[in-house]
Amino acid sequence: MALTLLLTASATAAIAGPIEEQIRFRQSAYSFAAWNVGKIKSQVVDHPETFNKDAVAAAANAIAAVANSGLGALYGEGTDQGVGWKQTRLKPEFFQKKAEVTVAANTFNEAANELAKVAATGDINAIKAQFGKVGESCKGCHDLTRIKE
Amino acid sequence: MALTLLLTASATAAIAGPIEEQIRFRQSAYSFAAWNVGKIKSQVVDHPETFNKDAVAAAANAIAAVANSGLGALYGEGTDQGVGWKQTRLKPEFFQKKAEVTVAANTFNEAANELAKVAATGDINAIKAQFGKVGESCKGCHDLTRIKE
């Protein structure tokens, strides 16, 4: 009994680090993406007079790189509870909705990669249209998986 | 006198948000890069038997996207003090060493973009060699700008 408790405690301690790390890395990835989303929103939607083709293309590449980075590896069992940079907002039902999550994640992935392609052309109207689709794909995943603040 | 103090306080309050945000975004960017550095180290250096060409190429693209994202915009005046996700470790002398910082940043940028090219070939030995150069370029900037933990 004492040994069982000890082993359980050790196992919990052993995975505690990785869980906090997974949460911290995914918060970092989405925050880095959010910074780049903000740059595109500013230059394409809010202040198109400041549009800089190279800066917007770099920001779109950054969002695509986040989408392509294998974020799924950061959603291990138990990561609906824990503190990375801050308490995670992952809904516990994430783990019961994996099929829906996969569809939502693929939608984001495709939209982000298409945005990187469109951004390389420098066509601000086409970028704005595709940027809207990326925003919808973000919201689709957030509604499904993230606790509202 | 009272008015001057009030205006100074307001100005400080007005930039406090952005300073915290700059620090948080750069901590996010480097943490996202560190996660991807860790994936390459694991698959190329520590456990080459797990090497996955596509995963390593995606990780290298992610590091390059961070390098190309215009991180300099996140080093505004006053950002050597403040809390993003945690207290910044930026050395105050960063602002007196801008020429050296630019050289170090460009070295990282070139090394990271070259790594993305080499990673696309799937040649593990070439990736390992270039990955070493990226690591050196990281260290070069850290020694110059970051307070040791």
Side-chain angles (χ1 to χ4, degrees):
Chain A
M1 167 75 179
L3 181 65
T4 306
L5 278 175
L6 187 68
L7 289 172
T8 307
S10 298
T12 304
I15 60 167
I19 283 180
E20 308 293 294
E21 193 176 87
Q22 286 175 55
I23 296 171
R24 195 175 70 244
F25 280 145
R26 68 192 189 209
Q27 289 170 342
S28 296
Y30 294 121
S31 292
F32 177 63
W35 175 49
N36 287 285
V37 164
K39 287 186 278 186
I40 298 178
K41 181 172 184 292
S42 177
Q43 293 178 53
V44 171
V45 180
D46 298 334
H47 307 286
E49 72 281 7
T50 66
F51 178 71
N52 178 295
K53 180 190 166 179
D54 292 340
V56 167
N61 279 338
I63 298 165
V66 170
N68 295 335
S69 67
L71 294 169
L74 299 175
Y75 287 87
E77 282 295 322
T79 60
D80 56 325
Q81 294 295 328
V83 179
W85 293 118
K86 61 177 184 177
Q87 181 71 38
T88 186
R89 292 162 64 197
L90 186 65
K91 291 181 181 173
E93 55 261 44
F94 171 89
F95 298 101
Q96 278 79 53
K97 292 188 173 177
K98 288 216 169 162
E100 286 172 78
V101 169
T102 299
V103 171
N106 288 344
T107 303
F108 167 54
N109 195 287
E110 286 163 21
N113 280 287
E114 182 62 23
L115 180 62
K117 279 187 205 162
V118 174
T121 69
D123 177 343
I124 189 168
N125 290 322
I127 296 169
K128 189 174 176 179
Q130 185 58 30
F131 180 64
K133 291 185 189 172
V134 171
E136 284 168 25
S137 75
C138 291
K139 188 176 183 307
C141 238
H142 293 168
D143 290 348
L144 189 61
T145 67
R146 196 168 71 165
I147 295 164
K148 285 197 166 56
E149 266 180 332
Chain B
M1 168 71 179
L3 183 62
T4 306
L5 279 176
L6 188 67
L7 288 172
T8 306
S10 297
T12 304
I15 58 166
I19 282 181
E20 308 293 295
E21 194 175 87
Q22 286 175 55
I23 297 171
R24 196 175 70 245
F25 280 145
R26 68 194 189 209
Q27 290 171 340
S28 297
Y30 295 122
S31 292
F32 177 62
W35 176 49
N36 286 285
V37 164
K39 287 186 278 185
I40 298 177
K41 180 171 184 293
S42 177
Q43 293 178 53
V44 171
V45 180
D46 298 335
H47 306 286
E49 73 281 6
T50 66
F51 178 71
N52 178 295
K53 179 189 167 180
D54 293 340
V56 167
N61 279 338
I63 298 166
V66 169
N68 295 335
S69 69
L71 294 169
L74 300 176
Y75 287 87
E77 283 294 322
T79 60
D80 57 324
Q81 295 294 328
V83 179
W85 293 119
K86 60 178 184 176
Q87 180 72 38
T88 185
R89 291 162 64 195
L90 186 64
K91 290 181 181 174
E93 55 262 43
F94 172 90
F95 298 101
Q96 278 79 53
K97 293 189 173 177
K98 290 216 170 162
E100 286 171 78
V101 170
T102 299
V103 171
N106 287 345
T107 302
F108 167 54
N109 194 289
E110 285 163 23
N113 280 287
E114 182 62 23
L115 180 62
K117 279 187 206 163
V118 174
T121 70
D123 177 343
I124 189 169
N125 290 321
I127 296 169
K128 188 174 176 179
Q130 185 59 30
F131 180 63
K133 292 185 187 171
V134 171
E136 285 167 24
S137 75
C138 291
K139 188 175 183 308
C141 238
H142 293 167
D143 290 348
L144 189 62
T145 67
R146 196 169 71 165
I147 295 164
K148 285 196 167 55
E149 266 180 330

